[in-house]
Amino acid sequence: QTFLEMSYYGNNYGGGFGGFISSLPPVTKNIVAINVLVFIAILVNQQFMVANFAMFYPTSPFFRPWQIITHMFMHGGFWHIFFNMYSLLMFGTVLERSIGSKKFLIFYFVTGLGAVALHTGVEWIEAQIFMANEQVMAYHNLLMTPTLGASGAIYGVLIGYAMVYPQSRLTLLFPPVTLTAKWMVIIFAAIELFTGITGTADGVAHFAHLGGMLFGWLLIRMWRRQGKLY
C-alpha cells in the first residue's frame, strides 16, 4: 500500500480522539470498527480465522460461500490493516459525506465484490493453464492460497474520491511528490496493471485492486448518468 496525505487535510476535532471518532460518518466508522475487531480475532487464532474467513479459490477444500464477504474484513498484519484503514478514514470519510452514507455503503461492497470477482477470474485463467500443462503443484498452491484484505474496496474508494474531487491535490509521503487525485489514481492503476501482468511484488492481489477500481469507476459513472450521485 502507498501512504498518502491530502496536502490540505487537517481538521481540528474537538474533544481529542473521542471527538475525532464521533465526527466520523457512520459507515466509515463501522467498517473500520469491524476490521479492527476481526484483526484482534486473527491475532487470537490466526489459523482458524484464515481457514474459515479468508477467500479461497472456489474449488479449494477450504472455500466457503461467506468468504466472498468476510475476506474483505481480514488483514495479514499490522501494516496491512493500518494503511488500509488510514486510507479509508482519509478518503472514505470525504466520499461518504459527499454521496451519502447509503450510497457509500453500496459503493464499498460493490467495489469489494468487484475486486474479488476479477481476482477470482484471473485465478481461473491461471488454473486452466496449470491443468493444461499438468503443473500439479502450482494448481495445488493456488487452491491453498488465501486472499484477504480490504484493499480492493479501498482502491475503489480511492478512485471514487478521485472522480468526485479530481483536482484535489495529494502528496505522497515517499517520494514527496504532489499530484492531483486524478493523476494519482491513473498512476496507481498503471502500476497495479504492470505488476499484475509481470508478476512483480508476488503475494499482492494486484487484479483485486484493479477490480475495485474498475467497479468503482463504473458505479460512479452510472450514478452520474442517472443523476443520482448526490
Side-chain angles (χ1 to χ4, degrees):
Q1 303 299 321
T2 305
F3 206 18
L4 292 171
E5 64 176 355
M6 279 183 276
S7 55
Y8 59 83
Y9 190 83
N11 294 307
N12 184 20
Y13 294 101
F17 185 71
F20 169 73
I21 294 295
S22 63
S23 72
L24 294 174
V27 174
T28 299
K29 178 165 57 179
N30 283 294
I31 290 174
V32 171
I34 294 169
N35 275 276
V36 171
L37 289 173
V38 171
F39 185 66
I40 293 171
I42 292 171
L43 294 178
V44 173
N45 193 334
Q46 181 176 359
Q47 184 175 354
F48 172 81
M49 292 296 293
V50 171
N52 287 280
F53 301 111
M55 178 67 190
F56 286 87
Y57 188 68
T59 59
S60 169
F62 288 108
F63 174 74
R64 302 292 184 271
W66 57 79
Q67 295 170 357
I68 296 170
I69 297 292
T70 57
H71 84 281
M72 294 165 51
F73 297 95
M74 300 186 64
H75 292 86
F78 173 77
W79 292 113
H80 191 198
I81 188 173
F82 177 81
F83 285 126
N84 275 346
M85 295 303 101
Y86 178 89
S87 301
L88 179 59
L89 286 170
M90 180 166 290
F91 300 106
T93 297
V94 179
L95 187 60
E96 181 176 349
R97 287 174 177 153
S98 300
I99 67 176
S101 294
K102 181 179 178 180
K103 275 196 180 66
F104 182 74
L105 180 63
I106 293 169
F107 183 85
Y108 189 86
F109 278 99
V110 167
T111 54
L113 293 173
V116 74
L118 184 60
H119 175 71
T120 303
V122 171
E123 284 188 321
W124 180 83
I125 294 172
E126 291 176 337
Q128 305 314 303
I129 294 172
F130 294 152
M131 290 188 291
N133 293 287
E134 298 183 352
Q135 295 175 278
V136 178
M137 187 57 65
Y139 180 67
H140 176 267
N141 289 339
L142 185 149
L143 297 183
M144 297 296 107
T145 302
T147 299
L148 65 165
S151 302
I154 298 301
Y155 271 74
V157 169
L158 181 60
I159 198 169
Y161 173 87
M163 292 178 75
V164 175
Y165 299 101
Q167 298 306 315
S168 67
R169 301 182 68 77
L170 307 176
T171 301
L172 283 167
L173 290 185
F174 183 80
V177 177
T178 299
L179 296 169
T180 62
K182 175 183 176 180
W183 279 106
M184 191 75 77
V185 165
I186 290 172
I187 291 170
F188 276 15
I191 291 172
E192 290 299 323
L193 183 60
F194 173 78
T195 51
I197 291 174
T198 60
T200 309
D202 192 30
V204 178
H206 300 290
F207 286 101
H209 299 168
L210 287 169
M213 298 179 85
L214 173 62
F215 277 77
W217 179 76
L218 290 171
L219 191 53
I220 293 290
R221 280 180 58 88
M222 183 185 75
W223 280 339
R224 274 186 174 156
R225 193 164 55 245
Q226 296 172 345
K228 297 178 179 179
L229 181 58
Y230 301 107

